Amino acid sequence: MGLFKKKSAAEKQRKQEIKDAKKDARKDKKDARKDAREDKKDARQEARADKKEIRQDTRDAKKDARQDKRDAMKDIRQSDLSKSDKKDAKKDVRADKKDTIDLAKQEKKDTKHDIREDKRDSIQKAKADKRQTIDQIKADKRAALAALRVPKAARRKWVSYLRFQEVDALEIYRPKNLADIKTICRIATDQGLTIRALGSGHSFSEAAVSDDILIETKGYNRMLPMSQARRNKFKAPQRRRSHVELEVGRTIIDISKELEKTGRALANQGTYDGQTFWGAVSTSTHGSGTGRGPFPNMVKSLVMVGEGGRTYRIEPTDGITRARNWREAGIDELIQDDDVFYSVICSFGCMGVVYSAVIDTADFYWLNEWTYVSTWEIFKESFSDYATMRAFLDRWETASLLVSPVPAEGGEKKGVSLGGEHPISLTLRRETNDTRVIGGTFTDSLAKALESAKIITGKAPAEGRINITDFSKDDSWLGRQAATFGASRGWLGDEIRPSEHPIKRRNKCYKIFPKGGKFFGGYGTEIAFPIEQTIPAMDRILELTARNTRQGNYHTAPIAVRWVAPCAAYASPQFADRRDRIGAFDNGTVMFEVLMSKGTEDGAEALRLIEADLMDEPNMRLHWGLNLDVMDERNYDPASRFPQWPAFQATFQRFNQSGTFHNPLTDRLGLS
């Protein structure tokens, strides 16, 4: 027993040393910042005192000059000089006064310049000292990671799509398996470092940002075997279901192609298929369809690595895994709890690094697609009440709109008069048993080919290379044109009978969903409202785009509108709380993606203005990845927008006892 006591004491001492080292590092960093602030404060106070002294000296010099002038004038008047001599003497006195004041002003100017230079030098020195101290702290942290035997990226700088986020990390790792991830998380927690897992970098927000360690997830991307032994770990009713297990760094397109081989498919998909699977899940990426929910709805079980490298299999309370006598290689704990599961699956990377997921799949399916040109005003009049609109949407597998951000000045297309109204294209899809391809996917194929050849790249900045609006400074013409591009028929509000209309496209589900957005390039902000608020919310957004256009902030891409089924994930924009009350989002969500073409001058600023103006809307929620970092806990109180936010906070604290997964977004939301 003595041996165990001695070992326990040694372990206790080691943990205390690590804790002290972390505390010292934080203190050094805090002291460096404090010293820099104090130096700047002292420099400013000294500069203010010098300025005050100079002003007083100048006032005294002017006062003395005026007094000297008065005395001299008095002497001249009382003298016996002739009239002309007195005049000359007075002129000389005035000149002397002017010279004295000018000299005082010049001395004041020169002294102020010297003070400014001294102040600038002091502040620059304080900044340099702060930078040097922080660089030294980083070097010390990096030294602690030197022995870590995990594949690394060649560079330590990470840039997101269109350069919305740029990070100089301590290290960027590319783990290949679960053991690599556990090692990284263990060392990071021991050294007091923060971690963020990266997908494809398509979030515009700070969701994936960390100054310490970044993990690129594309290195673990296998489809995991679903053997009979693996299925035997499931509860009996789940063993025959079409579950698949995968490493979450795999991209959506690769998953879709692999599932097709077994006659399976993802139940839903967004308009871009280059994202990693968990990048889509953790921000609640969605497709469209009132009967189809977002990506978190597919997940039945997940494996996550937390602080200290501790690994969990996490499921809902009635999860698919048999808890009795549960054991699983490499995993420390099975958690079957609704609050934990529904918090973790849409937590934008702030609770751990997810390694794998068991997902439910659908039978493989093909889709027919019809596209109509119309106007928002026609759509609004046709579906002025929610019941009529909902009945229409429920007829289709998916339905979506592209709405011009500005009205057309005139013209007609496919028999629809566009003048003075906002042009739209309405896209409708239904499943079909026919497997004959109709319509090409040329745009999507060309985009993928150019992307593979590095001709299309997300590494260029969103603004500054070209100014789209230089082509037409009086109109957001590109957004209007894009809204109706490719529509095959006109729609005037009459009943749509697809059997009477030619099919625009028919193809495999995963080839129909992507719409070639990567070819044109762009970015945006995405906003969620209860489905019943489709009409007033769209009208409000159009008011804001019109305001921006009048002020010279042009919108050069259409507004995408999609309707999505509810989601159980607590922080999902589509979350509906059906357990204890009727929630605003219980019938579904309408998603508005306000887009901007790459190269638009001040495009990001126009989108930020829209985000800021919509913050007062009580039932508005922002997409965690597709926003431009306007929100914080003061203007976007999550607790008032997500009914289960307290449970989400509690889960966050449970998995962040050492702050390993804190980042700027969790800071702004008041989580960390």
Side-chain angles (χ1 to χ4, degrees):
M1 293 299 292
L3 175 64
F4 289 104
K5 286 182 180 178
K6 185 176 180 182
K7 188 174 180 180
S8 176
E11 180 65 18
K12 185 176 180 180
Q13 182 180 356
R14 188 186 74 83
K15 288 187 176 181
Q16 185 60 43
E17 288 172 354
I18 291 171
K19 186 176 179 181
D20 292 342
K22 283 196 243 180
K23 185 176 179 180
D24 291 342
R26 285 194 294 267
K27 185 176 182 300
D28 289 343
K29 196 172 182 180
K30 184 178 179 181
D31 289 344
R33 288 179 172 153
K34 183 178 179 181
D35 291 343
R37 285 195 296 269
E38 290 294 330
D39 289 344
K40 284 196 275 187
K41 182 179 178 182
D42 292 342
R44 291 192 179 103
Q45 287 178 344
E46 187 176 340
R48 282 195 289 268
D50 290 342
K51 282 182 181 179
K52 185 176 180 181
E53 185 177 345
I54 291 167
R55 284 195 293 269
Q56 186 60 47
D57 290 343
T58 304
R59 283 195 291 268
D60 291 342
K62 287 182 180 179
K63 183 177 179 181
D64 292 342
R66 292 189 188 99
Q67 187 60 48
D68 290 343
K69 177 189 171 186
R70 283 194 291 270
D71 293 341
M73 289 293 189
K74 183 177 179 181
D75 292 341
I76 291 169
R77 285 194 296 272
Q78 294 175 354
S79 69
D80 296 332
L81 295 174
S82 63
K83 188 174 181 180
S84 60
D85 290 340
K86 285 184 179 181
K87 185 176 180 181
D88 292 338
K90 288 181 180 180
K91 186 176 180 181
D92 292 339
V93 169
R94 292 190 188 98
D96 290 341
K97 175 194 172 187
K98 185 176 182 303
D99 291 342
T100 302
I101 292 175
D102 289 344
L103 180 61
K105 285 182 177 179
Q106 186 60 43
E107 288 177 351
K108 175 184 177 182
K109 185 176 179 181
D110 293 341
T111 307
K112 285 175 94 174
H113 176 74
D114 293 340
I115 290 172
R116 279 195 296 269
E117 290 294 324
D118 291 342
K119 177 183 175 184
R120 188 180 298 113
D121 292 342
S122 298
I123 291 174
Q124 286 178 347
K125 184 178 182 301
K127 286 181 177 179
D129 291 343
K130 174 185 173 184
R131 182 75 265 166
Q132 185 177 1
T133 304
I134 292 175
D135 287 345
Q136 183 59 50
I137 292 170
K138 276 196 168 186
D140 293 342
K141 288 181 177 180
R142 196 168 284 134
L145 299 173
L148 198 56
R149 301 302 181 201
V150 177
K152 299 178 185 178
R155 296 184 177 183
R156 291 173 175 142
K157 185 170 184 177
W158 174 78
V159 179
S160 71
Y161 179 68
L162 297 185
R163 293 185 176 273
F164 275 96
Q165 305 294 340
E166 297 188 21
V167 178
D168 289 311
L170 286 178
E171 293 291 355
I172 300 177
Y173 289 103
R174 292 176 173 171
K176 299 294 185 183
N177 49 48
L178 178 59
D180 285 349
I181 302 170
K182 293 172 72 170
T183 301
I184 295 169
C185 290
R186 176 176 57 79
I187 297 297
T189 304
D190 286 349
Q191 298 300 324
L193 305 178
T194 59
I195 298 177
R196 256 311 186 267
L198 303 172
S200 299
H202 271 72
S203 289
F204 306 135
S205 73
E206 293 177 321
V209 170
S210 171
D211 289 334
D212 291 345
I213 295 175
L214 296 178
I215 293 177
E216 292 187 348
T217 60
K218 288 187 177 181
Y220 48 100
N221 54 20
R222 298 172 300 156
M223 301 294 291
L224 299 175
M226 187 61 76
S227 63
Q228 189 57 48
R230 178 74 183 91
R231 289 186 181 277
N232 286 341
K233 294 181 181 295
F234 295 162
K235 295 174 182 175
Q238 302 289 336
R239 292 175 191 170
R240 295 188 181 88
R241 297 198 62 169
S242 50
H243 295 323
V244 299
E245 189 164 18
L246 52 92
E247 293 179 329
V248 298
R250 197 175 184 90
T251 60
I252 293 168
I253 181 60
D254 289 339
I255 295 170
S256 297
K257 289 179 178 179
E258 193 67 29
L259 290 176
E260 183 187 4
K261 297 175 184 178
T262 58
R264 310 304 300 170
L266 295 175
N268 205 352
Q269 190 178 320
T271 56
Y272 179 63
D273 56 13
Q275 295 164 291
T276 59
F277 180 76
W278 203 256
V281 173
S282 64
T283 56
S284 198
T285 295
H286 58 91
S288 184
T290 54
R292 296 170 184 256
F295 269 71
N297 286 15
M298 304 179 198
V299 180
K300 302 303 175 185
S301 177
L302 63 95
V303 173
M304 184 183 78
V305 183
E307 291 186 329
R310 186 168 178 80
T311 306
Y312 310 90
R313 179 170 289 284
I314 302 174
E315 299 178 353
T317 301
D318 59 349
I320 62 175
T321 299
R322 289 187 295 113
R324 186 178 180 183
N325 299 324
W326 172 86
R327 291 182 68 183
E328 193 168 350
I331 301 176
D332 301 305
E333 183 181 351
L334 171 65
I335 300 176
Q336 292 182 317
D337 181 271
D338 281 348
D339 284 346
V340 174
F341 179 76
Y342 291 119
S343 296
V344 167
I345 55 172
C346 180
S347 58
F348 39 92
C350 73
M351 298 188 188
V353 179
V354 175
Y355 164 69
S356 67
V358 176
I359 64 172
D360 199 11
T361 59
D363 291 331
F364 193 81
Y365 56 100
W366 284 58
L367 289 169
N368 287 334
E369 179 180 282
W370 296 266
T371 306
Y372 301 87
V373 64
S374 187
T375 68
W376 171 247
E377 285 71 18
I378 291 174
F379 184 92
K380 184 166 61 171
E381 183 178 353
S382 302
F383 303 117
S384 56
D385 65 283
Y386 168 69
T388 305
M389 183 184 72
R390 182 59 187 249
F392 173 77
L393 296 176
D394 288 345
R395 290 174 53 195
W396 310 94
E397 299 296 333
T398 78
S400 59
L401 295 176
L402 288 177
V403 182
S404 168
V406 292
E409 294 179 351
E412 179 182 302
K413 190 167 185 177
K414 306 293 184 183
V416 178
S417 177
L418 305 178
E421 299 190 356
H422 294 80
I424 67 169
S425 65
L426 170 63
T427 299
L428 305 170
R429 296 178 181 134
R430 276 185 177 168
E431 288 190 20
T432 178
N433 294 323
D434 197 331
T435 58
R436 180 173 54 91
V437 174
I438 296 178
T441 56
F442 171 76
T443 302
D444 305 294
S445 300
L446 178 60
K448 291 182 187 300
L450 294 177
E451 186 176 5
S452 298
K454 307 298 184 184
I455 295 172
I456 291 179
T457 172
K459 301 305 181 186
E463 302 175 348
R465 297 191 73 190
I466 56 173
N467 290 334
I468 292 291
T469 50
D470 285 346
F471 294 110
S472 175
K473 281 295 188 183
D474 61 340
D475 200 354
S476 297
W477 61 276
L478 190 63
R480 188 179 68 240
Q481 294 297 321
T484 58
F485 179 77
S488 57
R489 294 182 62 86
W491 178 63
L492 296 172
D494 50 320
E495 184 178 356
I496 295 177
R497 297 183 176 88
S499 60
E500 300 176 5
H501 300 158
I503 296 168
K504 174 70 175 176
R505 288 199 305 161
R506 176 191 295 138
N507 215 317
K508 299 172 182 177
C509 53
Y510 70 86
K511 292 189 175 182
I512 282 283
F513 285 120
K515 296 289 284 183
K518 194 66 176 282
F519 181 75
F520 299 103
Y523 54 98
T525 182
E526 191 162 27
I527 303 150
F529 281 94
I531 194 169
E532 295 90 342
Q533 292 181 227
T534 298
I535 303 297
M538 184 75 255
D539 284 344
R540 174 62 176 147
I541 292 170
L542 290 176
E543 287 177 10
L544 297 175
T545 59
R547 185 275 315 276
N548 285 351
T549 301
R550 288 193 301 271
Q551 295 176 353
N553 292 317
Y554 297 97
H555 287 261
T556 56
I559 302 162
V561 184
R562 283 162 287 183
W563 296 271
V564 190
C567 179
Y570 289 171
S572 167
Q574 300 89 19
F575 172 68
D577 184 17
R578 293 176 167 177
R579 294 182 302 178
D580 54 2
R581 67 178 182 82
I582 299 298
F585 289 80
D586 279 0
N587 292 321
T589 304
V590 57
M591 302 295 299
F592 299 95
E593 190 173 4
V594 187
L595 296 164
M596 198 70 72
S597 296
K598 184 169 70 174
T600 304
E601 185 179 10
D602 296 329
E605 180 59 28
L607 296 179
R608 289 189 182 99
L609 289 172
I610 287 180
E611 281 188 21
D613 284 329
L614 290 175
M615 288 296 177
D616 293 335
E617 299 290 338
N619 288 324
M620 184 276 287
R621 297 170 179 169
L622 285 172
H623 189 288
W624 295 113
L626 301 184
N627 72 79
L628 300 180
D629 295 325
V630 172
M631 64 177 173
D632 58 36
E633 63 176 328
R634 294 169 299 177
N635 62 13
Y636 186 82
D637 178 20
S640 66
R641 301 174 193 272
F642 298 95
Q644 291 296 330
W645 191 254
F648 184 91
Q649 285 179 302
T651 306
F652 174 84
Q653 297 301 331
R654 174 176 179 173
F655 292 112
N656 275 279
Q657 294 182 26
S658 298
T660 304
F661 304 104
H662 291 180
N663 88 330
L665 179 57
T666 62
D667 291 344
R668 287 192 291 107
L669 291 174
L671 288 168
S672 54

